[in-house]
Each structure stands twice: as C-alpha cells, then as structure tokens.
C-alpha cells in the first residue's frame, strides 16, 4: 500500500495504459457492435456478398483500401445514409484504420435500421498484417 501511495502517478499511468490497450475492444462488446477478423470479413464478402464500407478520410482511402469498398468518410455518413439503403438487407463490414471510427459507424448504421453490421476489428492495420490485398486509387 505504501508503494501505491508513493508512486500514485506510476499507478495511474499503468491503469491508463491498460484502459487504452483493452478499452477499445471492450467498448465494442458493450455497444453491441459485432467484431469480425479480417479472415471472417473475407468469408462475409465471398459467401454473403457483404458490402465493405470504408469510413476513413480521402487521403487514407487513396493510400490503400479493400477492393470494391464503398467510401463514405465518417463525418459524412449521417448525411449520406440514403446511398446505403439498397444494402439494408446485406451484411455491411465497416472499416477504418484501427477499428474505432468504423465501430462508431456501425452504431450509427444500427440506429438507422441496418441490422447486419460488422466492425473490422483492428481495421486496415489488421487487414494488412494478415497479408490481405489492398487497392490504390
């Protein structure tokens, strides 16, 4: 107990670091957003004709994206939901750089009546680490 009191800043830093590492995935589980791995996403694309919704900014998208991805930056998603109406009955896999913005996009989609939404866990970082292909514009 003396150690904790004498090193309170170190303890707080350790707690903050732990939250930052694990808080993102916990937030996805608590929000009800379904997470998929890159391999599970590929299965959704190939077997269920899922739509890839890339919510990154233009420069990120142009640096490399999943083939046939629909690109709508997160900041524009609410005003452009009508573009996705025809995909309401299909699975939608949202993707960003790390999975945070896409998780938010999934929440927005669910509130708008899209039931089959999935967040690509780890985003494009995980996609590229899995050795899966990207396309540049």
């Amino acid at each position: 107990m003396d150690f904790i009191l004498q090193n309170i800043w170190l303890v707080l830093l350790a707690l903050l670091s732990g939250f930052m590492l694990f808080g993102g995935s916990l937030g996805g589980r608590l929000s009800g957003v379904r997470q998929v791995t890159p391999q599970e996403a590929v299965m959704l694309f190939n077997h269920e004709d899922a739509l890839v919704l890339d919510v990154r900014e233009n420069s990120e998208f142009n640096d490399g994206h999943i083939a046939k991805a629909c690109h709508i930056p997160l900041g524009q998603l609410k005003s452009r939901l009508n573009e996705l109406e025809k995909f309401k009955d299909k699975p939608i896999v949202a993707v960003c750089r790390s999975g945070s913005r896409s998780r938010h996009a999934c929440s927005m989609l669910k509130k708008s009546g899209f039931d089959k939404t999935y967040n690509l866990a780890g985003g494009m970082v995980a996609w590229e680490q899995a050795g899966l292909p990207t396309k540049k514009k």
Side-chain angles (χ1 to χ4, degrees):
M1 190 65 165
D2 287 337
F3 175 81
I4 293 173
L5 293 175
Q6 291 173 356
N7 297 290
I8 191 71
W9 292 111
L10 290 175
V11 172
L12 291 174
L13 181 62
L15 289 172
L16 179 63
S17 297
F19 177 76
M20 291 175 70
L21 285 172
F22 301 108
S25 63
L26 180 62
R29 287 189 203 111
L30 293 176
S31 68
V33 173
R34 293 176 283 192
Q35 306 283 326
V36 292
T37 65
Q39 294 78 9
E40 291 168 328
V42 169
M43 296 295 284
L44 286 168
F45 305 150
N46 292 339
H47 298 290
E48 296 187 42
D49 198 25
L51 171 73
V52 180
L53 175 62
D54 194 317
V55 297
R56 297 176 298 157
E57 295 300 318
N58 292 335
S59 61
E60 295 173 286
F61 183 80
N62 292 337
D63 285 343
H65 57 273
I66 298 170
K68 300 181 184 177
C70 172
H71 178 231
I72 302 177
L74 182 60
Q76 299 174 17
L77 184 59
K78 191 171 186 177
S79 65
R80 294 178 60 186
L81 278 173
N82 61 324
E83 296 175 34
L84 300 174
E85 282 296 318
K86 61 186 170 191
F87 302 103
K88 222 167 193 172
D89 295 329
K90 288 189 174 195
I92 297 177
V93 178
V95 61
C96 66
R97 186 186 67 77
S98 66
S100 181
R101 286 176 284 177
S102 53
R103 184 176 60 242
H104 184 68
C106 286
S107 294
M108 288 176 63
L109 290 168
K110 284 186 76 118
K111 288 177 185 173
S112 298
F114 293 84
D115 293 325
K116 299 177 183 177
T117 59
Y118 300 88
N119 182 36
L120 181 61
M124 287 302 293
V125 171
W127 182 268
E128 291 170 350
Q129 286 176 344
L132 294 166
T134 60
K135 180 180 178 182
K136 289 193 178 192
K137 201 161 194 181

